[in-house]
Amino acid sequence: MSRNAQADRVNVQGADKSPAAKQTIRDMTVGKPSKLIIQFMIPMFLGNVFQQFYNVADSIVAGKFLGVQALAAIGSTGSLMFFVTGWLNGLSSGFAILVAQWFGAKKYDKMRHFVAMSVYLSIGLAVLMTVGFLFANEPILRLMNYSDEIMPDVKGYMGIIYAGLIVTAAYNSLAAFLRALGDSRSPLYFLVISAAINVVLDIVFIVYGGMGVEGCAYATVIAQGISALLCFIYIVKRYPILHLKKEDFQISLQSCGRLLALGIPMALQFSITAIGTIIVQGAVNIYGENYMAGFSAAGKLQNIFATVFAAFGVTIATYVGQNRGAGKIERVKQGVRCTQIMILVYSVIAMVLIFFFGKYMTWLFISPSETKVTEVAVLYFHTVFWCYPFLGSIFLYRNTLQGLGYGLVPMLGGVFELAARAGIVLLVAGHTSFVGVCLADPAAWISALIPLVPYYIYTMRKWKTA
């Protein structure tokens, strides 16, 4: 056994004896699957809520203090934000799958090497994205049918977000490495702190500094930078197993290729889904500011409910990745079965809450006197709520396949989503009522499952006979 491997063994064994470390590194290859998944998922859900809170807080402060036009400007960027940050999130999640697999296989030298290669790739791609999106900022917004009145606010807001993509990439990568080792709690704590800072800075910049919607963007970037810094300091102090050495940074094109083979399909899957939501947002923009504001408020609330689905998705990817690395395919199937049941139960709860209480939730963003905006949000909720079980299942099967190391079919699910959304929009936008545009989401969620579920069944049968 090499000196590094001996050190790793000491580190892991020592962590097993330390109560604090037991709460961080989690080996998901042993123990009851349902218990492990719940324990990992809850911090992930709370972390997703606080990550969503950045844009939600911006929308709330803008809507309350700057008015409907500001809410329409910031809120309507949600799909574009999802496109940009989703690419970085997809890359980091894809990279982390290999980290989780090597951690599950107990080959820590390999694990650190892939962490180092992920750092190279994340920095390089974040810089390229910043330059590209800053250059294409206004042309993209023109394609989304923004009016001249609202264009300056949206352009300024997104320009600042683009300039801060390097800190977004830093946090996503560091948090993904921690989750690959079974630690979903630590990233949550840092997000809670940074989300609170974001709210404070929103109020300071807008209410007292008079900065307008650009103040929200500055608050978001600063808060994300703080969360990335805290994550880095924590890894340095608490995770010797992730301490990288000079030899870990020896560039390997083969290793970079393996990372990109998982990261790019996941990033494309996020981006393809986001392109579909951008197309829908462009269709909504045709109907005017009240529809933009109502659709944005509804979307923000729905995203909060959907964070549970996303948390199950990231959890099952880590669980499957570790068990795939350990060669325990039967545990993979057990984990998928219990997660599907939990998703269905939660879907029913979310459907009831959204249908009966969605109206009152929109008042977080706007005054109750804005009745037209509220009506638009409620109309959207009542059109899509029944399809939440399909939405949750997308996260389950897509992330399961990604955890197994398959990137192409999950991306194909995104292509089906995009085709469904684009088809609905082309048929109804500007020709029928707003309800027609709302139907794009249910159509997309059902379509995405068409390639995912059959391929999962095929994969499990293949592993069974292998």
Side-chain angles (χ1 to χ4, degrees):
M1 184 181 295
S2 69
R3 178 178 295 180
N4 284 342
Q6 290 175 339
D8 289 333
R9 184 176 179 181
V10 170
N11 286 335
V12 174
Q13 289 175 343
D16 289 340
K17 297 177 182 178
S18 167
K22 283 182 179 179
Q23 296 177 356
T24 53
I25 293 179
R26 179 175 289 115
D27 187 347
M28 303 181 80
T29 63
V30 293
K32 189 176 181 181
S34 58
K35 182 179 179 181
L36 289 167
I37 289 168
I38 286 290
Q39 288 177 337
F40 191 94
M41 186 279 295
I42 291 175
M44 277 302 309
F45 157 66
L46 295 174
N48 286 340
V49 168
F50 282 100
Q51 197 160 35
Q52 288 280 343
F53 197 66
Y54 286 118
N55 194 249
V56 170
D58 290 350
S59 298
I60 291 174
V61 174
K64 292 291 186 181
F65 293 101
L66 298 177
V68 172
Q69 181 171 318
L71 172 59
I74 292 178
S76 64
T77 63
S79 57
L80 188 54
M81 288 272 286
F82 177 47
F83 175 76
V84 177
T85 60
W87 178 267
L88 293 174
N89 189 34
L91 283 171
S92 61
S93 298
F95 297 163
I97 286 173
L98 279 173
V99 176
Q101 288 182 355
W102 287 116
F103 176 75
K106 307 298 187 291
K107 295 184 178 180
Y108 305 116
D109 287 342
K110 281 280 190 180
M111 179 195 73
R112 278 192 297 268
H113 169 70
F114 280 102
V115 168
M117 295 303 100
S118 298
V119 171
Y120 280 138
L121 293 172
S122 296
I123 292 173
L125 291 168
V127 171
L128 286 174
M129 288 177 64
T130 297
V131 174
F133 280 113
L134 284 174
F135 179 78
N137 192 4
E138 185 168 345
I140 291 173
L141 298 178
R142 292 292 179 192
L143 288 173
M144 293 180 67
N145 299 316
Y146 281 102
S147 65
D148 291 335
E149 290 76 18
I150 206 171
M151 175 66 76
D153 284 343
V154 181
K155 182 180 177 181
Y157 180 84
M158 289 307 302
I160 296 167
I161 296 297
Y162 294 147
L165 285 181
I166 189 68
V167 297
T168 304
Y171 172 76
N172 284 343
S173 296
L174 294 170
F177 298 149
L178 290 174
R179 289 193 293 267
L181 272 61
D183 181 1
S184 61
R185 295 187 182 183
S186 302
L188 165 63
Y189 302 146
F190 306 140
L191 273 177
V192 171
I193 295 170
S194 60
I197 292 172
N198 185 47
V199 173
V200 172
L201 291 178
D202 274 340
I203 295 172
V204 170
F205 290 161
I206 292 177
V207 179
Y208 299 104
M211 295 181 66
V213 297
E214 291 186 357
C216 291
Y218 283 118
T220 296
V221 172
I222 293 170
Q224 286 181 337
I226 291 172
S227 65
L229 179 62
L230 291 174
C231 214
F232 176 76
I233 293 172
Y234 185 77
I235 288 174
V236 170
K237 290 184 175 295
R238 294 293 300 276
Y239 279 90
I241 198 173
L242 285 177
H243 289 184
L244 303 180
K245 305 175 181 64
K246 183 177 180 180
E247 56 266 27
D248 297 322
F249 286 97
Q250 185 68 38
I251 295 177
S252 167
L253 295 180
Q254 183 180 12
S255 297
C256 289
R258 291 186 64 186
L259 287 165
L260 291 172
L262 280 174
I264 288 180
M266 289 186 72
L268 285 174
Q269 179 272 310
F270 275 104
S271 297
I272 289 169
T273 301
I275 290 171
T277 61
I278 289 172
I279 291 172
V280 174
Q281 182 66 61
V284 172
N285 292 351
I286 296 173
Y287 294 88
E289 288 181 6
N290 284 329
Y291 282 89
M292 291 169 65
F295 184 76
S296 297
K300 296 292 182 296
L301 289 170
Q302 182 169 269
N303 286 342
I304 292 173
F305 279 92
T307 54
V308 173
F309 299 141
F312 273 122
V314 175
T315 300
I316 201 67
T318 301
Y319 172 88
V320 170
Q322 287 193 13
N323 283 282
R324 167 68 180 86
K328 298 182 177 182
I329 300 302
E330 188 58 38
R331 281 180 60 82
V332 170
K333 291 189 285 187
Q334 293 172 1
V336 171
R337 281 197 297 268
C338 68
T339 303
Q340 178 71 87
I341 293 171
M342 289 186 282
I343 284 175
L344 292 176
V345 171
Y346 172 74
S347 296
V348 173
I349 296 172
M351 288 161 63
V352 172
L353 292 175
I354 282 291
F355 187 86
F356 290 105
F357 302 104
K359 172 182 177 180
Y360 308 104
M361 295 178 191
T362 60
W363 294 347
L364 284 170
F365 299 90
I366 56 168
S367 168
S369 62
E370 298 287 350
T371 56
K372 182 61 179 178
V373 176
T374 304
E375 288 173 4
V376 170
V378 171
L379 186 59
Y380 174 80
F381 287 143
H382 288 184
T383 305
V384 308
F385 80 102
W386 58 274
C387 214
Y388 286 171
F390 297 98
L391 174 61
S393 297
I394 292 172
F395 287 93
L396 170 61
Y397 292 104
R398 181 177 66 200
N399 284 277
T400 295
L401 291 171
Q402 290 166 342
L404 288 169
Y406 301 107
L408 181 60
V409 174
M411 184 179 70
L412 186 61
V415 173
F416 275 63
E417 275 191 74
L418 174 60
R421 281 198 173 96
I424 294 292
V425 168
L426 287 173
L427 287 172
V428 305
H431 307 294
T432 64
S433 68
F434 175 69
V435 173
V437 177
C438 295
L439 288 172
D441 280 342
W445 299 337
I446 294 172
S447 298
L449 290 172
I450 293 174
L452 296 179
V453 175
Y455 195 76
Y456 167 75
I457 295 172
Y458 163 76
T459 300
M460 289 298 99
R461 288 176 177 173
K462 182 179 70 173
W463 281 106
K464 185 176 181 180
T465 57

